[in-house]
Coordinates of all heavy atoms in Angstrom, one line a residue:
M8 N 2.8 70.2 -85.0 CA 2.5 70.0 -83.5 C 1.1 70.4 -83.2 O 0.7 71.6 -83.3 CB 3.4 70.8 -82.8 CG 3.2 70.7 -81.2 SD 4.5 71.6 -80.4 CE 3.5 72.4 -79.2
V9 N 0.3 69.4 -82.9 CA -1.1 69.8 -82.5 C -1.2 69.1 -81.1 O -1.0 67.9 -80.9 CB -2.1 69.1 -83.4 CG1 -3.5 69.4 -82.9 CG2 -1.9 69.7 -84.8
L10 N -1.3 70.0 -80.2 CA -1.4 69.4 -78.7 C -2.9 69.1 -78.4 O -3.9 69.7 -78.9 CB -1.0 70.6 -77.9 CG 0.4 71.2 -78.0 CD1 0.6 72.4 -77.1 CD2 1.5 70.1 -77.7
G11 N -3.1 68.1 -77.5 CA -4.4 67.7 -77.1 C -4.7 68.7 -75.8 O -3.8 69.6 -75.5
A12 N -5.9 68.7 -75.4 CA -6.3 69.5 -74.2 C -5.5 69.4 -73.1 O -5.0 70.3 -72.4 CB -7.7 69.2 -73.9
S13 N -5.0 68.2 -72.7 CA -4.3 68.0 -71.5 C -2.8 68.5 -71.7 O -2.2 69.0 -70.7 CB -4.3 66.5 -71.0 OG -3.7 65.7 -72.1
Q14 N -2.3 68.3 -72.9 CA -0.9 68.8 -73.1 C -0.8 70.3 -73.2 O 0.1 70.9 -72.6 CB -0.4 68.2 -74.5 CG -0.2 66.7 -74.5 CD 0.1 66.2 -75.9 OE1 -0.7 66.5 -76.8 NE2 1.2 65.4 -76.0
T15 N -1.9 70.9 -73.8 CA -2.0 72.4 -73.8 C -2.0 72.9 -72.4 O -1.3 73.8 -71.9 CB -3.1 72.8 -74.6 OG1 -3.0 72.3 -75.9 CG2 -3.3 74.3 -74.6
A16 N -3.0 72.3 -71.5 CA -3.1 72.7 -70.2 C -1.9 72.6 -69.4 O -1.5 73.4 -68.6 CB -4.2 71.9 -69.5
E17 N -1.1 71.5 -69.6 CA 0.2 71.2 -68.9 C 1.2 72.3 -69.3 O 1.9 72.9 -68.5 CB 0.7 69.9 -69.1 CG 1.9 69.5 -68.3 CD 1.7 69.5 -66.8 OE1 0.7 69.3 -66.3 OE2 2.7 69.8 -66.1
A18 N 1.3 72.6 -70.6 CA 2.3 73.6 -71.2 C 2.0 75.0 -70.5 O 2.8 75.7 -70.1 CB 2.2 73.6 -72.7
V19 N 0.7 75.3 -70.5 CA 0.3 76.6 -69.9 C 0.6 76.7 -68.4 O 1.1 77.7 -67.9 CB -1.2 76.9 -70.2 CG1 -1.7 78.1 -69.4 CG2 -1.4 77.1 -71.7
K20 N 0.3 75.5 -67.8 CA 0.6 75.5 -66.3 C 2.1 75.7 -66.1 O 2.5 76.4 -65.1 CB 0.1 74.2 -65.8 CG 0.4 74.0 -64.3 CD -0.1 72.6 -63.9 CE 0.5 72.0 -62.6 NZ 0.1 70.7 -62.2
V21 N 2.9 75.0 -66.8 CA 4.4 75.2 -66.7 C 4.9 76.6 -66.9 O 5.6 77.2 -66.1 CB 5.2 74.2 -67.6 CG1 6.7 74.5 -67.6 CG2 4.9 72.8 -67.1
L22 N 4.3 77.2 -68.0 CA 4.7 78.6 -68.3 C 4.2 79.6 -67.2 O 5.0 80.4 -66.8 CB 4.2 78.9 -69.6 CG 4.9 78.4 -70.9 CD1 4.0 78.5 -72.2 CD2 6.2 79.0 -71.1
D23 N 3.0 79.3 -66.7 CA 2.5 80.2 -65.8 C 3.2 80.1 -64.4 O 3.2 81.0 -63.6 CB 1.0 80.1 -65.6 CG 0.2 80.7 -66.7 OD1 0.7 81.5 -67.4 OD2 -1.0 80.2 -66.9
N24 N 3.7 78.9 -64.1 CA 4.3 78.8 -62.7 C 5.8 79.0 -62.8 O 6.4 78.8 -61.8 CB 4.1 77.3 -62.3 CG 2.5 77.2 -61.9 OD1 1.9 78.2 -61.4 ND2 1.9 76.1 -62.1
S25 N 6.4 79.2 -64.0 CA 7.9 79.5 -64.1 C 8.2 80.7 -63.5 O 7.7 81.8 -63.7 CB 8.3 79.4 -65.6 OG 9.6 79.7 -65.7
D26 N 9.3 80.7 -62.7 CA 9.9 81.9 -62.1 C 11.3 82.2 -62.6 O 12.0 83.0 -62.0 CB 9.8 81.9 -60.6 CG 10.6 80.7 -60.0 OD1 11.2 79.9 -60.8 OD2 10.8 80.7 -58.8
T27 N 11.6 81.5 -63.7 CA 12.9 81.8 -64.3 C 12.9 82.9 -65.2 O 11.8 83.4 -65.7 CB 13.4 80.5 -65.0 OG1 12.5 80.3 -66.1 CG2 13.5 79.3 -64.1
S28 N 14.1 83.5 -65.5 CA 14.1 84.6 -66.5 C 14.1 84.1 -67.9 O 13.7 85.0 -68.9 CB 15.4 85.5 -66.2 OG 16.5 84.7 -66.4
L29 N 14.4 82.9 -68.2 CA 14.4 82.2 -69.6 C 13.7 80.9 -69.6 O 14.0 80.0 -68.8 CB 15.8 82.1 -70.1 CG 15.9 81.5 -71.5 CD1 15.3 82.4 -72.6 CD2 17.4 81.3 -71.8
V30 N 12.6 80.9 -70.4 CA 11.9 79.5 -70.6 C 12.4 79.1 -72.0 O 12.3 79.8 -72.9 CB 10.4 79.7 -70.5 CG1 9.7 78.4 -70.8 CG2 10.1 80.3 -69.1
V31 N 12.7 77.8 -72.0 CA 13.1 77.1 -73.4 C 12.0 76.1 -73.7 O 11.8 75.3 -72.8 CB 14.5 76.5 -73.3 CG1 14.8 75.9 -74.6 CG2 15.5 77.5 -72.9
I32 N 11.4 76.2 -74.9 CA 10.6 75.3 -75.4 C 11.1 74.6 -76.6 O 11.7 75.2 -77.5 CB 9.2 76.0 -75.8 CG1 8.5 76.7 -74.6 CG2 8.2 74.9 -76.5 CD1 7.4 77.5 -75.0
A33 N 11.2 73.2 -76.6 CA 11.6 72.5 -77.8 C 10.3 71.9 -78.5 O 9.6 71.3 -77.9 CB 12.6 71.4 -77.3
S34 N 10.4 72.0 -79.8 CA 9.2 71.5 -80.6 C 9.8 70.9 -81.9 O 10.7 71.5 -82.4 CB 8.3 72.6 -80.9 OG 7.3 72.2 -81.8
G35 N 9.2 69.8 -82.3 CA 9.6 69.2 -83.6 C 9.1 70.0 -84.8 O 9.4 69.8 -86.0
Q36 N 8.2 71.0 -84.6 CA 7.5 71.7 -85.6 C 7.7 73.2 -85.2 O 7.6 73.5 -84.0 CB 6.0 71.3 -85.8 CG 5.3 72.2 -86.8 CD 3.9 71.7 -86.9 OE1 3.6 70.6 -86.5 NE2 3.0 72.6 -87.3
Q37 N 7.8 74.1 -86.2 CA 7.7 75.5 -85.9 C 6.5 75.9 -85.2 O 5.4 75.5 -85.6 CB 8.0 76.4 -87.1 CG 9.3 76.2 -87.7 CD 9.4 77.2 -88.9 OE1 8.8 77.0 -89.9 NE2 10.4 78.1 -88.8
L38 N 6.6 76.8 -84.3 CA 5.4 77.3 -83.6 C 4.9 78.6 -84.1 O 3.8 79.0 -84.1 CB 5.6 77.4 -82.1 CG 6.0 76.1 -81.3 CD1 6.2 76.4 -79.8 CD2 4.9 75.1 -81.5
F39 N 5.9 79.5 -84.4 CA 5.5 80.9 -84.8 C 5.9 81.3 -86.2 O 6.0 82.5 -86.6 CB 6.1 81.8 -83.8 CG 5.5 81.6 -82.5 CD1 6.2 80.8 -81.5 CD2 4.2 81.9 -82.1 CE1 5.6 80.5 -80.2 CE2 3.6 81.7 -80.9 CZ 4.4 81.0 -79.9
S40 N 6.0 80.3 -87.1 CA 6.2 80.7 -88.6 C 5.0 81.3 -89.1 O 3.9 81.1 -88.6 CB 6.7 79.4 -89.3 OG 5.7 78.4 -89.3
E41 N 5.1 81.9 -90.2 CA 4.0 82.6 -90.8 C 3.9 82.2 -92.3 O 5.0 82.0 -93.0 CB 4.1 84.1 -90.7 CG 4.2 84.5 -89.2 CD 4.4 86.1 -89.1 OE1 5.5 86.5 -89.3 OE2 3.4 86.7 -88.9
G42 N 2.7 82.2 -92.8 CA 2.5 82.1 -94.2 C 2.3 80.8 -94.8 O 2.5 80.7 -96.1
A43 N 2.1 79.8 -94.1 CA 1.9 78.5 -94.7 C 0.7 77.8 -94.1 O 0.5 78.0 -92.8 CB 3.2 77.6 -94.5
S44 N 0.1 76.9 -94.8 CA -1.2 76.3 -94.2 C -0.8 75.3 -93.0 O -1.7 74.9 -92.3 CB -1.8 75.5 -95.3 OG -1.0 74.5 -95.8
R45 N 0.5 74.9 -92.9 CA 0.9 74.0 -91.9 C 1.3 74.7 -90.7 O 1.7 74.1 -89.6 CB 2.1 73.1 -92.4 CG 3.4 74.0 -92.6 CD 4.6 73.0 -93.0 NE 5.7 73.8 -93.5 CZ 6.2 74.7 -93.1 NH1 5.9 75.4 -92.0 NH2 7.3 75.3 -93.6
D46 N 1.1 75.9 -90.5 CA 1.5 76.8 -89.3 C 0.6 76.2 -88.2 O -0.5 75.9 -88.3 CB 1.2 78.2 -89.6 CG 2.1 79.0 -90.5 OD1 3.2 78.3 -90.9 OD2 1.9 80.1 -90.8
F47 N 1.2 76.3 -87.1 CA 0.6 75.9 -85.8 C -0.7 76.7 -85.5 O -1.7 76.1 -85.1 CB 1.6 76.0 -84.6 CG 1.1 75.6 -83.3 CD1 0.4 74.4 -83.0 CD2 1.4 76.4 -82.2 CE1 -0.1 74.1 -81.8 CE2 0.9 76.1 -80.9 CZ 0.3 74.9 -80.7
A48 N -0.6 77.9 -85.8 CA -1.7 78.9 -85.7 C -2.9 78.4 -86.5 O -4.2 78.6 -86.1 CB -1.4 80.3 -85.9
V49 N -2.7 77.9 -87.7 CA -3.8 77.5 -88.5 C -4.2 76.0 -88.3 O -5.4 75.7 -88.3 CB -3.2 77.5 -90.1 CG1 -4.2 76.9 -91.1 CG2 -2.9 78.9 -90.5
Q50 N -3.2 75.2 -87.9 CA -3.6 73.8 -87.6 C -4.4 73.7 -86.3 O -5.2 72.8 -86.1 CB -2.3 72.9 -87.5 CG -1.7 72.7 -88.8 CD -0.5 71.8 -88.6 OE1 0.0 71.5 -87.4 NE2 0.2 71.3 -89.6
A51 N -4.0 74.5 -85.3 CA -4.5 74.3 -83.9 C -4.8 75.7 -83.3 O -4.0 76.0 -82.3 CB -3.7 73.4 -83.1
P52 N -5.7 76.4 -83.8 CA -5.9 77.8 -83.3 C -6.1 77.9 -81.8 O -5.7 78.9 -81.2 CB -7.1 78.4 -84.1 CG -7.8 77.2 -84.7 CD -6.7 76.1 -84.8
T53 N -6.9 77.0 -81.2 CA -7.2 77.1 -79.8 C -5.9 76.8 -79.0 O -5.6 77.6 -78.0 CB -8.3 76.0 -79.4 OG1 -9.4 76.3 -80.2 CG2 -8.6 76.1 -78.0
E54 N -5.1 75.8 -79.3 CA -3.9 75.6 -78.6 C -2.9 76.7 -78.8 O -2.2 77.1 -77.9 CB -3.3 74.3 -79.0 CG -4.2 72.9 -78.7 CD -5.1 72.6 -79.8 OE1 -5.5 73.4 -80.7 OE2 -5.5 71.4 -79.8
Y55 N -2.9 77.2 -80.1 CA -1.9 78.3 -80.4 C -2.2 79.5 -79.4 O -1.4 80.1 -78.8 CB -2.1 78.7 -81.8 CG -1.3 79.9 -82.2 CD1 0.1 79.9 -82.6 CD2 -1.8 81.1 -82.2 CE1 0.8 81.0 -83.0 CE2 -1.1 82.3 -82.5 CZ 0.2 82.1 -82.9 OH 0.9 83.3 -83.2
A56 N -3.5 79.9 -79.4 CA -3.9 81.0 -78.6 C -3.7 80.8 -77.1 O -3.2 81.9 -76.5 CB -5.4 81.3 -78.8
A57 N -3.9 79.6 -76.6 CA -3.5 79.4 -75.2 C -2.0 79.5 -74.9 O -1.6 80.0 -73.9 CB -4.1 78.1 -74.7
L58 N -1.2 78.9 -75.8 CA 0.2 78.8 -75.6 C 0.8 80.3 -75.7 O 1.5 80.7 -75.0 CB 0.8 77.9 -76.6 CG 2.3 77.6 -76.4 CD1 2.7 77.0 -75.1 CD2 2.8 76.7 -77.6
K59 N 0.3 81.0 -76.7 CA 0.7 82.3 -77.0 C 0.4 83.3 -75.8 O 1.2 84.0 -75.4 CB 0.2 82.9 -78.3 CG 0.6 84.3 -78.6 CD 2.1 84.4 -78.8 CE 2.5 85.9 -79.3 NZ 2.7 86.8 -78.2
A60 N -0.8 83.2 -75.3 CA -1.2 84.0 -74.0 C -0.3 83.7 -72.9 O 0.1 84.5 -72.2 CB -2.6 83.7 -73.8
A61 N 0.1 82.4 -72.7 CA 0.9 82.0 -71.6 C 2.3 82.6 -71.9 O 3.0 83.0 -70.9 CB 0.9 80.5 -71.4
I62 N 2.9 82.5 -73.1 CA 4.2 83.0 -73.4 C 4.1 84.7 -73.1 O 5.1 85.1 -72.6 CB 4.6 82.8 -74.8 CG1 4.9 81.3 -74.9 CG2 5.6 83.6 -75.4 CD1 5.1 80.7 -76.2
D63 N 3.0 85.2 -73.5 CA 3.0 86.7 -73.3 C 3.0 87.0 -71.7 O 3.5 88.0 -71.4 CB 1.6 87.3 -73.9 CG 1.8 87.3 -75.4 OD1 2.9 87.2 -76.0 OD2 0.7 87.5 -76.1
R64 N 2.4 86.2 -70.9 CA 2.4 86.4 -69.5 C 3.7 86.2 -69.0 O 4.2 86.9 -68.0 CB 1.4 85.5 -68.8 CG -0.1 85.8 -69.1 CD -1.0 85.0 -68.2 NE -1.0 83.6 -68.4 CZ -1.8 83.0 -69.3 NH1 -2.6 83.6 -70.1 NH2 -1.8 81.7 -69.4
V65 N 4.7 85.4 -69.6 CA 6.1 85.3 -69.2 C 6.8 86.6 -69.4 O 7.5 87.1 -68.6 CB 6.7 84.1 -70.0 CG1 8.2 84.2 -69.7 CG2 6.1 82.8 -69.5
G66 N 6.4 87.2 -70.7 CA 7.0 88.5 -71.0 C 6.5 89.6 -70.1 O 7.4 90.4 -69.7
V67 N 5.3 89.6 -69.7 CA 4.9 90.6 -68.7 C 5.6 90.5 -67.4 O 5.9 91.5 -66.8 CB 3.3 90.4 -68.6 CG1 2.8 91.3 -67.3 CG2 2.5 90.8 -69.8
R68 N 6.0 89.3 -66.9 CA 6.8 89.1 -65.8 C 8.2 89.4 -66.0 O 9.0 89.4 -65.0 CB 6.6 87.7 -65.3 CG 5.3 87.3 -64.8 CD 5.3 85.9 -64.1 NE 5.9 84.9 -64.8 CZ 5.4 84.0 -65.5 NH1 4.0 84.1 -65.8 NH2 5.9 83.0 -66.2
G69 N 8.5 89.9 -67.2 CA 10.0 90.3 -67.4 C 10.8 89.1 -67.9 O 12.0 89.2 -68.1
G70 N 10.2 88.0 -68.2 CA 10.9 86.8 -68.7 C 11.0 86.7 -70.2 O 10.4 87.6 -70.9
S71 N 11.8 85.9 -70.7 CA 11.9 85.6 -72.2 C 11.6 84.2 -72.5 O 11.8 83.3 -71.6 CB 13.3 86.0 -72.7 OG 13.6 87.3 -72.4
V72 N 11.2 83.9 -73.6 CA 10.9 82.5 -74.1 C 11.8 82.3 -75.4 O 11.7 83.1 -76.3 CB 9.3 82.4 -74.5 CG1 9.1 80.9 -75.0 CG2 8.6 82.6 -73.2
L73 N 12.5 81.2 -75.4 CA 13.2 80.8 -76.5 C 12.7 79.5 -77.0 O 12.5 78.5 -76.3 CB 14.7 80.5 -76.1 CG 15.7 79.8 -77.2 CD1 15.7 80.7 -78.4 CD2 17.0 79.5 -76.5
V74 N 12.2 79.4 -78.3 CA 11.7 78.2 -78.8 C 12.7 77.7 -79.8 O 13.2 78.3 -80.7 CB 10.3 78.5 -79.7 CG1 9.8 77.2 -80.3 CG2 9.4 79.1 -78.7
L75 N 13.0 76.4 -79.6 CA 13.9 75.6 -80.5 C 13.1 74.7 -81.2 O 12.5 73.8 -80.6 CB 15.1 74.9 -79.6 CG 15.9 75.7 -78.7 CD1 16.8 74.9 -77.8 CD2 16.7 76.8 -79.5
S76 N 13.1 74.8 -82.6 CA 12.2 74.0 -83.4 C 12.8 73.4 -84.5 O 14.0 73.8 -84.9 CB 10.9 74.8 -83.7 OG 11.3 75.9 -84.6
G77 N 12.2 72.5 -85.1 CA 12.7 71.9 -86.4 C 11.8 72.0 -87.5 O 10.7 72.0 -87.4
D78 N 12.3 71.9 -88.7 CA 11.5 71.9 -89.9 C 12.4 71.3 -91.0 O 13.6 71.6 -91.2 CB 11.2 73.4 -90.5 CG 10.3 73.5 -91.6 OD1 10.8 73.3 -92.7 OD2 9.1 73.7 -91.4
I79 N 11.8 70.4 -91.8 CA 12.5 69.6 -92.8 C 13.1 70.4 -93.9 O 14.1 70.2 -94.6 CB 11.7 68.5 -93.3 CG1 12.6 67.4 -94.1 CG2 10.6 68.9 -94.1 CD1 11.9 66.1 -94.4
H80 N 12.4 71.7 -94.2 CA 12.7 72.4 -95.4 C 13.6 73.6 -95.1 O 14.2 74.1 -96.0 CB 11.4 73.0 -95.9 CG 10.5 71.8 -96.3 ND1 9.4 71.4 -95.6 CD2 10.5 71.0 -97.4 CE1 8.7 70.5 -96.2 NE2 9.5 70.2 -97.3
R81 N 13.7 74.2 -93.9 CA 14.5 75.4 -93.7 C 15.0 75.6 -92.3 O 14.6 75.0 -91.4 CB 13.5 76.6 -94.0 CG 12.4 76.6 -93.2 CD 11.4 77.8 -93.4 NE 10.0 77.5 -93.0 CZ 9.0 78.1 -93.2 NH1 9.1 79.1 -94.2 NH2 7.8 77.8 -92.8
T82 N 16.0 76.5 -92.3 CA 16.5 77.1 -91.0 C 16.1 78.5 -91.0 O 16.1 79.2 -92.0 CB 18.1 76.9 -91.1 OG1 18.4 75.5 -91.2 CG2 18.7 77.5 -89.9
Q83 N 15.7 78.9 -89.8 CA 15.1 80.2 -89.7 C 15.2 80.8 -88.3 O 15.2 80.0 -87.4 CB 13.6 80.2 -90.2 CG 12.9 81.5 -90.2 CD 11.4 81.3 -90.7 OE1 10.9 80.2 -90.6 NE2 10.8 82.3 -91.2
V84 N 15.3 82.1 -88.2 CA 15.1 82.7 -86.9 C 13.9 83.7 -86.9 O 13.7 84.4 -87.9 CB 16.3 83.7 -86.5 CG1 16.2 84.4 -85.2 CG2 17.7 82.8 -86.5
I85 N 13.0 83.4 -86.1 CA 11.7 84.3 -86.1 C 11.8 85.2 -84.8 O 11.9 84.7 -83.7 CB 10.6 83.3 -85.9 CG1 10.4 82.4 -87.1 CG2 9.3 84.2 -85.8 CD1 9.5 81.2 -87.0
Y86 N 12.0 86.5 -85.1 CA 11.9 87.5 -84.1 C 11.0 88.6 -84.7 O 11.5 89.3 -85.7 CB 13.3 87.9 -83.8 CG 13.4 89.1 -82.8 CD1 13.0 88.8 -81.4 CD2 13.7 90.4 -83.2 CE1 13.1 89.8 -80.5 CE2 13.8 91.4 -82.2 CZ 13.5 91.1 -80.9 OH 13.5 92.1 -79.9
N87 N 9.9 88.8 -84.2 CA 9.0 89.9 -84.7 C 8.3 90.6 -83.5 O 7.2 90.2 -83.0 CB 8.0 89.3 -85.5 CG 7.0 90.3 -86.2 OD1 6.9 91.4 -85.7 ND2 6.4 89.9 -87.2
P88 N 9.1 91.6 -82.9 CA 8.6 92.2 -81.6 C 7.2 92.9 -81.8 O 6.4 92.8 -80.8 CB 9.6 93.3 -81.3 CG 10.7 92.8 -82.2 CD 10.4 92.1 -83.3
Q89 N 6.9 93.4 -83.0 CA 5.6 94.0 -83.2 C 4.5 92.9 -83.1 O 3.4 93.2 -82.6 CB 5.5 94.7 -84.5 CG 6.4 96.0 -84.6 CD 7.8 95.6 -84.7 OE1 8.2 94.6 -85.3 NE2 8.6 96.4 -84.1
K90 N 4.7 91.7 -83.6 CA 3.7 90.7 -83.6 C 3.7 89.8 -82.4 O 2.6 89.5 -81.8 CB 3.7 89.9 -84.9 CG 2.6 88.8 -84.9 CD 2.5 88.1 -86.1 CE 1.4 87.2 -86.3 NZ 1.2 86.5 -87.5
F91 N 4.8 89.4 -82.0 CA 5.0 88.4 -80.9 C 5.7 89.0 -79.6 O 5.6 88.2 -78.6 CB 5.9 87.3 -81.4 CG 5.4 86.5 -82.5 CD1 6.1 86.5 -83.7 CD2 4.1 85.9 -82.5 CE1 5.6 85.7 -84.9 CE2 3.5 85.3 -83.6 CZ 4.4 85.2 -84.8
G92 N 6.0 90.2 -79.6 CA 6.6 90.8 -78.4 C 8.1 90.5 -78.5 O 8.7 89.5 -79.0
A93 N 8.8 91.5 -77.7 CA 10.3 91.3 -77.7 C 10.8 90.2 -76.9 O 12.0 89.8 -76.9 CB 11.0 92.7 -77.2
H94 N 9.9 89.6 -76.1 CA 10.3 88.4 -75.1 C 10.3 87.1 -75.9 O 10.6 86.1 -75.3 CB 9.3 88.4 -74.1 CG 7.8 88.2 -74.4 ND1 7.1 89.3 -74.9 CD2 7.1 87.2 -74.6 CE1 5.9 88.8 -75.2 NE2 5.9 87.5 -75.1
L95 N 10.0 87.0 -77.2 CA 10.0 85.7 -77.9 C 10.8 85.7 -79.0 O 10.8 86.5 -79.9 CB 8.4 85.4 -78.2 CG 8.2 84.2 -79.1 CD1 8.4 83.0 -78.3 CD2 6.8 84.2 -79.6
V96 N 11.7 84.6 -79.1 CA 12.5 84.3 -80.3 C 12.5 82.8 -80.6 O 12.4 81.9 -79.6 CB 14.0 84.7 -79.9 CG1 14.8 84.3 -81.1 CG2 14.1 86.1 -79.7
E97 N 12.3 82.5 -81.9 CA 12.3 81.0 -82.2 C 13.4 80.8 -83.2 O 13.6 81.5 -84.2 CB 10.9 80.7 -83.0 CG 10.9 79.2 -83.3 CD 9.5 78.8 -83.8 OE1 8.6 79.6 -83.8 OE2 9.4 77.6 -84.2
F98 N 14.3 79.8 -82.8 CA 15.3 79.3 -83.7 C 14.9 77.9 -84.3 O 14.5 77.0 -83.6 CB 16.6 79.1 -83.0 CG 17.2 80.4 -82.5 CD1 17.0 80.8 -81.2 CD2 18.0 81.2 -83.4 CE1 17.6 82.0 -80.8 CE2 18.6 82.3 -83.0 CZ 18.4 82.8 -81.7
T99 N 14.8 77.9 -85.6 CA 14.4 76.7 -86.3 C 15.6 76.1 -87.1 O 16.3 76.8 -87.9 CB 13.2 76.9 -87.3 OG1 12.2 77.6 -86.6 CG2 12.8 75.6 -88.0
S100 N 15.8 74.8 -87.0 CA 16.9 74.1 -87.7 C 16.3 73.2 -88.6 O 15.4 72.3 -88.2 CB 17.9 73.5 -86.7 OG 18.9 72.9 -87.4
S101 N 16.8 73.0 -89.8 CA 16.5 72.0 -90.7 C 17.4 70.7 -90.4 O 18.2 70.8 -89.6 CB 16.7 72.3 -92.2 OG 18.0 72.6 -92.4
G102 N 17.2 69.6 -91.0 CA 17.8 68.4 -90.8 C 19.3 68.6 -91.1 O 19.6 69.4 -92.0
V103 N 20.2 68.0 -90.4 CA 21.6 68.1 -90.6 C 22.1 66.7 -91.1 O 21.8 65.7 -90.4 CB 22.4 68.6 -89.4 CG1 23.8 68.7 -89.7 CG2 21.8 70.0 -89.0
L104 N 22.9 66.8 -92.2 CA 23.4 65.4 -92.7 C 24.7 65.1 -91.9 O 25.5 65.9 -91.7 CB 23.6 65.4 -94.1 CG 22.3 65.6 -94.9 CD1 22.5 65.7 -96.4 CD2 21.4 64.3 -94.7

């Protein structure tokens, strides 16, 4: 997932203007996986930083963010409070036959 400037700005705007306690983001690619060259943070560091900062602001307001993502190779739960904060959880599902 590589966002363009307008898509990144819109995502940040939606996150910043949300007054709900839970924000759900759906993505066809993992956003917060680690350790692979295809990681969103490696592919699009500017977009990643902007999105992560907006997600952190949701956490500061007392909200939580749930990311539902897909990956052809694996199913995974990403929860790393030390790195991403306790307000962020990503569930990734591989393809289902």
Side-chain angles (χ1 to χ4, degrees):
M8 176 176 138
V9 178
L10 302 173
S13 62
Q14 291 171 312
T15 300
E17 184 64 25
V19 168
K20 178 180 161 186
V21 168
L22 286 164
D23 283 343
N24 292 323
S25 174
D26 61 355
T27 63
S28 59
L29 177 64
V30 176
V31 178
I32 299 172
S34 172
Q36 177 180 339
Q37 287 184 301
L38 298 182
F39 297 102
S40 64
E41 300 176 282
S44 62
R45 62 176 169 50
D46 291 350
F47 180 46
V49 172
Q50 289 182 352
T53 302
E54 293 93 338
Y55 173 88
L58 189 61
K59 179 63 175 82
I62 287 171
D63 288 344
R64 290 190 293 274
V65 170
V67 167
R68 293 192 306 266
S71 297
V72 177
L73 170 62
V74 178
L75 303 174
S76 61
D78 185 285
I79 195 168
H80 300 102
R81 61 181 154 192
T82 298
Q83 184 177 22
V84 175
I85 300 168
Y86 178 69
N87 185 340
Q89 291 74 34
K90 182 169 183 177
F91 300 121
H94 58 277
L95 174 65
V96 177
E97 180 171 359
F98 291 98
T99 303
S100 177
S101 62
V103 178
L104 296 175

